Amino acid sequence: MQREEKQLEATLHAILNRVNDLKSAIQALITKLENEYESINWPTFLDNYAILSGHLTGLSKILQSEVAPSLRSVVVLPLQLGCERDEALARLTEGRVPACTHDLVPDLLRTKPEPQAEQRLQQFNHKASTLSHDTAQKQVAQFTKVISHVWEIISKGREDWEGDSMRSAGMQPTHSIADTHALVTAVGTGKGLRPGMPSIVPPGVGGTGMGQSRGPAPQLGQTAPTMPKAPSAIKTNIKAANQIHPYQR
């Protein structure tokens, strides 16, 4: 008898630890959803959900192990019902169950779903059993098509969002490669320049007036017209070559 009691106590202790771990994981997930719902992403949510699944799997293994069959023969019954607050019960349930009332106890000791939920479950099971195989395959194919379409929309939206994030995170370009190539081509080959543009001459250099232009500038590939030579103001006296040299012998 003592061995069974120790075994039951150890099983209850293990179940209680697993339940506490599961409760902490659920509270952490709810807190994250309430406070970080804008920044939380799908992989993080799946990681937290995997933790919950792990705790539930561990709890199921404890209940299905060989050391737990004694729980099936244990009956839990309230010793006293009343509407007055029970501080010990409230402390054990962390304030969720302040008293064992007549309305609350049936829900706590229920081993089957509620009558309304059980009736709807039976309706769903009956509808699923009467569904033909071809109809089920068509519905599965249609459902898969809808999921694929939604997945494509989400994937495209995610790519656009990541691209916008990367562009906004980086520095904005301060130059244009096309404009740079166009400028180099204009300087090197004259491409894109307007022909016949007058060239501005600095004041005091040629022309008839101050700052006036000499005329149209020569185009690329053309030879500038030669200007006539101005008459020299210096008079030269060229003697004949047959003049006798004064010092000739």
Side-chain angles (χ1 to χ4, degrees):
M1 186 67 181
Q2 294 180 357
R3 181 181 178 181
E4 293 180 357
E5 291 179 357
K6 291 182 179 180
Q7 187 178 4
L8 177 61
E9 185 177 357
T11 303
L12 293 176
H13 183 70
I15 293 174
L16 184 62
N17 291 335
R18 285 292 182 178
V19 171
N20 290 331
D21 294 340
L22 180 61
K23 182 181 65 176
S24 301
I26 293 174
Q27 290 177 351
L29 180 59
I30 293 175
T31 302
K32 187 168 295 186
L33 291 176
E34 291 178 350
N35 300 328
E36 303 177 7
Y37 65 93
E38 294 182 354
S39 60
I40 189 172
N41 51 16
W42 185 245
T44 304
F45 179 80
L46 290 180
D47 292 340
N48 287 268
Y49 191 79
I51 295 174
L52 298 179
S53 180
H55 291 319
L56 289 174
T57 303
L59 183 60
S60 299
K61 290 181 178 179
I62 293 175
L63 295 176
Q64 295 175 2
S65 62
E66 297 180 357
V67 297
S70 57
L71 293 177
R72 300 177 181 177
S73 60
V74 177
V75 180
V76 179
L77 294 176
L79 300 178
Q80 185 178 0
L81 300 178
C83 297
E84 297 181 359
R85 180 180 178 85
D86 189 350
E87 296 297 336
L89 181 62
R91 185 172 59 256
L92 290 174
T93 58
E94 298 181 356
R96 291 189 296 272
V97 184
C100 287
T101 60
H102 296 78
D103 298 333
L104 182 62
V105 170
D107 294 333
L108 295 177
L109 301 180
R110 186 185 302 277
T111 58
K112 296 178 64 177
E114 295 183 356
Q116 295 83 357
E118 189 174 3
Q119 183 179 1
R120 294 190 62 182
L121 181 60
Q122 290 178 357
Q123 293 178 358
F124 290 148
N125 292 333
H126 178 71
K127 184 178 180 179
S129 61
T130 56
L131 190 65
S132 62
H133 180 72
D134 296 338
T135 305
Q137 291 297 327
K138 290 181 181 179
Q139 291 182 359
V140 170
Q142 185 178 3
F143 187 67
T144 305
K145 184 177 180 181
V146 172
I147 292 178
S148 301
H149 181 64
V150 174
W151 176 255
E152 291 178 359
I153 295 175
I154 294 175
S155 300
K156 188 177 182 302
R158 180 180 179 181
E159 292 177 358
D160 296 340
W161 178 72
E162 290 179 352
D164 295 340
S165 300
M166 294 178 64
R167 285 192 293 270
S168 60
M171 296 181 61
Q172 296 293 334
T174 57
H175 66 282
S176 175
I177 298 178
D179 293 343
T180 303
H181 289 314
L183 180 60
V184 172
T185 306
V187 174
T189 63
K191 182 180 180 180
L193 298 179
R194 294 181 180 178
M197 294 180 64
S199 59
I200 305 301
V201 181
V205 182
T208 58
M210 300 296 291
Q212 294 179 357
S213 61
R214 293 183 179 180
Q219 299 182 6
L220 294 177
Q222 297 181 0
T223 305
T226 58
M227 301 295 294
K229 295 182 179 180
S232 178
I234 301 174
K235 296 182 179 180
T236 58
N237 187 8
I238 303 175
K239 294 181 180 182
N242 57 359
Q243 185 179 2
I244 301 174
H245 198 277
Y247 299 100
Q248 184 178 9
R249 292 180 183 180

